[in-house]
């Protein structure tokens, strides 16, 4: 009898243990993902994760860098980036609503704030919040170009970017300058000595092919120029090359030819600079037409001042023009008597003026002084090609 009672008690004990294990396993199926310190169940957090670029509270952000917000395991709702004045910055939400990208450049030294929400795949919301501040440059450097958007220029025209201040990191700037041409054209940038700021010129190895289409893309905004200076803005322009017109100016011949698309369309008597003094010598070399004036007041103190000249085409910043001069008509074609300019009759000057275009080459030869950097800002063709390419900051 005692032995049987022992067996019964053991059976009951095993039954109780099995029941307790079952309860434990059943309870394990409903245990939450976490417990508070006192053992109270804590609900699972939202699954959506918001990622901001730049990170919240970032300082010194480059305003030209990609700015975006994205979400994993969710979608974005009513996202916006605003400046300190509350103006909304333009942006684009992806079709699947998982990312939002700013589509306009931000300003320097400005604070921007994100607003909006993200809804996770679990239906829970997560705020899109946070702010950042952009860099405050010591200097913002601007640039201007010699050619306007849509302009048609001659086959000798260089592309000139004139900055309004010095540039310490010329290599960084040059890497941001891109020239695209149709047809493809071999050319190079070259940094010329600063003149009221840094300046860089691009020219083809040889004259442009007529009809060439040119696109200039200079991504300079937000670019570090060095020494605390940053680019104030981008530059983008499209222009084209017109017909080929080259002036052949052989000083000893006392004549000038205008050759258009390989055909001589003018062959006229002229007078060049007399060679008695250096200041009067018309420089030999390839000049470039840079300005055109129907009337122009010329001065060359102490010899003359504010003399009105007609049909003036500037070919160098040293004061060389092709222009009408009735006072030299008697010697045009026979003698060189001017102060360095190329003198024509009124009728010839007017006819030539009507054909000239910015960027036309004027090839002067036969004088004892060559065109050089001392003669102005467009002496590009006076530099041989190997030397020109060596003037790039990316050699």
């Amino acid at each position: 009898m005692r032995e049987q009672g022992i067996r019964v008690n053991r059976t009951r004990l095993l039954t109780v243990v099995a029941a307790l294990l079952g309860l434990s396993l059943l309870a394990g199926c409903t245990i939450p993902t976490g417990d508070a310190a006192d053992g109270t169940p804590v609900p699972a957090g939202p699954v959506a994760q918001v990622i901001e670029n730049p990170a919240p509270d970032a300082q010194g952000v480059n305003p030209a860098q990609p700015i975006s917000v994205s979400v994993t395991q969710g979608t974005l709702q009513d996202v916006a980036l605003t400046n300190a004045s509350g103006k909304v910055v333009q942006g684009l939400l992806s079709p699947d609503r998982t990312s939002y990208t700013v589509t306009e450049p931000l300003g320097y030294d400005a604070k921007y704030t994100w607003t909006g929400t993200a809804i996770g795949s679990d239906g829970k919301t997560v705020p899109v919040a946070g702010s950042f501040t952009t860099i405050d440059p010591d200097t913002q450097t601007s640039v201007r170009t010699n050619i306007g958007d849509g302009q048609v220029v001659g086959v000798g025209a260089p592309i000139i970017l004139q900055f309004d201040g010095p540039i310490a990191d010329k290599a960084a700037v040059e890497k941001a300058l891109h020239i695209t041409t149709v047809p493809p054209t071999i050319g190079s940038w070259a940094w010329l000595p600063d003149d009221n700021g840094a300046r860089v010129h691009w020219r083809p190895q040889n004259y442009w092919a007529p009809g060439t289409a040119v696109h200039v893309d200079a991504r300079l905004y937000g670019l570090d120029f060095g020494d605390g200076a940053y680019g104030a803005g981008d530059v983008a322009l499209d222009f084209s090359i017109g017909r080929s017109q080259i002036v052949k100016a052989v000083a000893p011949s006392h004549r000038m030819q205008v050759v258009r698309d390989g055909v001589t369309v003018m062959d006229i008597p002229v007078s060049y600079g007399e060679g008695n003094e250096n200041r009067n010598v018309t420089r030999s070399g390839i000049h470039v037409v840079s300005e055109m004036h129907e009337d122009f007041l010329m001065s060359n103190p102490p010899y003359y001042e504010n003399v009105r000249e007609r049909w003036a085409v500037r070919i160098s910043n040293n004061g060389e023009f092709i222009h009408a001069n009735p006072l030299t008509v008697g010697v045009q074609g026979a003698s060189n008597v001017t102060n360095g300019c190329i003198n024509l009759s009124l009728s010839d000057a007017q006819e030539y003026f009507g054909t000239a275009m910015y960027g036309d080459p004027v090839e002067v030869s036969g004088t004892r002084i060559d065109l050089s950097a001392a003669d102005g800002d467009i002496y590009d063709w006076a530099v041989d090609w190997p030397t020109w390419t060596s003037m790039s900051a990316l050699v």
Side-chain angles (χ1 to χ4, degrees), residues 16 26 33 116 130 138 150 167 178 189 192 198 200-201 301 305 310 314 337 344 350 379:
V16 171
L26 182 61
T33 56
D138 294 337
I167 294 177
H178 302 283
W189 291 102
L192 278 62
V200 62
H201 294 204
E305 198 163 354
R310 297 276 290 158
R314 182 188 289 275
V337 300
L344 288 66
Q350 183 176 1
Y379 59 93

Side-chain angles (χ1 to χ4, degrees), residues 9-261:
N9 289 338
R10 286 177 178 173
T11 301
R12 289 176 178 174
L13 179 61
L14 291 172
T15 302
V16 171
V17 171
L20 290 174
L21 286 172
L23 288 173
S24 177
L25 291 171
L26 182 61
C29 293
T30 60
I31 291 176
T33 56
D35 292 331
D38 60 0
T40 304
V42 177
V47 298
Q49 292 188 0
V50 174
I51 304 169
E52 296 178 10
N53 180 31
D57 301 321
Q59 303 290 317
V61 174
N62 191 311
Q65 78 174 54
I67 307 293
S68 65
V69 63
S70 60
V71 62
T72 61
Q73 300 190 63
T75 57
L76 297 171
Q77 303 289 327
D78 302 321
V79 176
L81 183 69
T82 57
N83 62 16
S85 301
K87 181 180 181 298
V88 176
V89 179
Q90 294 179 9
L92 182 65
L93 183 65
S94 65
D96 62 2
R97 307 184 71 85
T98 61
S99 65
Y100 181 89
T101 304
V102 171
T103 56
E104 68 172 302
L106 304 184
Y108 287 120
D109 189 25
K111 183 176 181 179
Y112 293 89
T113 303
W114 287 109
T115 57
T117 58
I119 301 178
S121 56
D122 57 357
K124 297 177 182 179
T125 61
V126 176
V128 177
S131 60
F132 59 89
T133 304
T134 56
I135 55 178
D136 180 15
D138 294 337
T139 305
Q140 294 184 42
T141 303
S142 298
V143 63
R144 65 180 187 273
T145 63
N146 63 319
I147 300 174
D149 195 44
Q151 188 174 351
V152 180
V153 299
V155 297
I159 301 168
I160 300 175
L161 299 184
Q162 175 69 56
F163 297 87
D164 64 359
I167 294 177
D169 193 347
K170 291 181 171 63
V173 171
E174 191 171 332
K175 287 178 182 177
L177 308 179
H178 302 283
I179 305 295
T180 306
T181 67
V182 180
T185 305
I186 296 173
S188 175
W189 291 102
W191 292 87
L192 278 62
D194 285 12
D195 184 6
N196 296 314
R199 52 180 177 156
V200 62
H201 294 204
W202 191 98
R203 75 162 174 88
Q205 182 176 8
N206 303 301
Y207 292 152
W208 295 99
T212 298
V214 185
H215 176 70
V216 181
D217 185 18
R219 302 293 180 89
L220 299 174
Y221 181 68
L223 184 64
D224 187 351
F225 286 6
D227 289 346
Y230 281 76
D234 294 336
V235 173
L237 65 91
D238 293 275
F239 67 94
S240 59
I241 309 301
R243 80 289 177 269
S244 170
Q245 178 161 298
I246 303 170
V247 170
K248 304 285 187 178
V250 182
S253 73
H254 315 301
R255 300 190 69 83
M256 184 184 92
Q257 289 80 37
V258 179
V259 181
R260 188 180 309 141
D261 295 323

